[in-house]
Amino acid sequence: MKLYLCFVILLALSCKENTVNKGIVQEVTQVSFETVDYEGLETYLENSNASVHVVNFWATWCKPCVKELPHFEELGAMYKEQDVKVILVSLDFPDQMERLTKFIKKKNIRSEVVFLDDADANGWIPKVDPSWSGAIPATIIYNKDERSFYERSFTYEEIEKELKLFL
């Protein structure tokens, strides 16, 4: 019986996922993300429910993107109870999946990560927002009634101020 109990405890510990529980962050042990083309990404950009979505376009090779990622992580944790969903859309290159996976684990990324694998950037960039030059970081904040696009990096205070306009 003791052996069975030890096995169950070890199994539970090895399967732990990324969670925030009363300020205690558990380590990310399993990394998973969806790979989509632009058509698949549209569902993340046009959700019609009442919650607020914060969609950040970034890449592991983009220093300003990496610098601001903790702000999006904090935002997602702080506003989870208010139904704010943070989605991180990776624009890393398809041959860098291992790098992306290691980065997510090393940085303990808890937000939902989506990998955009669509080579037709000239086709999908203006669909995301007509004013977007394609530079990253870039962020969209939207709810069922309004939408804003930002082609810039943020401090925590700046992104929180913009988010509050949607709550």
Side-chain angles (χ1 to χ4, degrees), residues 37 91 107 124 135 139 145:
D37 58 8
L91 299 181
K107 298 294 184 179
W124 60 259
T139 303
D145 299 319

Side-chain angles (χ1 to χ4, degrees), residues 30-44:
Q30 296 177 350
V31 176
S32 65
F33 50 85
E34 184 176 6
T35 299
V36 297
D37 58 8
Y38 179 75
E39 186 176 314
L41 181 66
E42 284 181 311
T43 61
Y44 295 95

Side-chain angles (χ1 to χ4, degrees), residues 114-129:
V114 177
F115 171 67
L116 180 59
D117 186 9
D118 192 323
D120 185 21
N122 290 332
W124 60 259
I125 286 173
K127 290 178 184 175
V128 170
D129 191 271

Side-chain angles (χ1 to χ4, degrees), residues 10 17-20 26 28 35 49 55 59 65 76 86 96-98 110 113 124-126 131 138 144 151-152 158:
L10 286 173
E17 294 184 15
N18 50 345
T19 60
V20 176
Q26 294 180 342
V28 173
T35 299
N49 65 21
V55 182
C65 300
V86 174
Q96 295 180 327
M97 291 298 87
E98 185 176 337
R110 298 173 310 278
V113 176
W124 60 259
I125 286 173
S131 69
K144 67 178 183 170
E151 187 173 13
R152 54 168 290 206
E158 292 168 337

Side-chain angles (χ1 to χ4, degrees), residues 1-50:
M1 182 68 171
K2 286 182 182 179
L3 183 60
Y4 176 75
L5 184 57
C6 288
F7 175 77
V8 170
I9 291 171
L10 286 173
L11 182 62
L13 288 173
S14 68
C15 294
K16 69 182 177 182
E17 294 184 15
N18 50 345
T19 60
V20 176
N21 186 7
K22 295 185 180 179
I24 300 170
V25 176
Q26 294 180 342
E27 179 184 350
V28 173
T29 57
Q30 296 177 350
V31 176
S32 65
F33 50 85
E34 184 176 6
T35 299
V36 297
D37 58 8
Y38 179 75
E39 186 176 314
L41 181 66
E42 284 181 311
T43 61
Y44 295 95
L45 301 177
E46 299 174 3
N47 199 321
S48 62
N49 65 21

Side-chain angles (χ1 to χ4, degrees), residues 57-67 69 89-97 99-100 103 107 115-116 124 132 134-137:
F57 292 85
W58 68 290
T60 59
W61 46 263
C62 168
K63 286 188 179 189
C65 300
V66 171
K67 183 178 178 181
L69 275 180
V89 179
S90 170
L91 299 181
D92 282 284
F93 302 109
D95 63 349
Q96 295 180 327
M97 291 298 87
R99 177 181 179 174
L100 176 60
F103 181 90
K107 298 294 184 179
F115 171 67
L116 180 59
W124 60 259
W132 189 16
I136 54 174

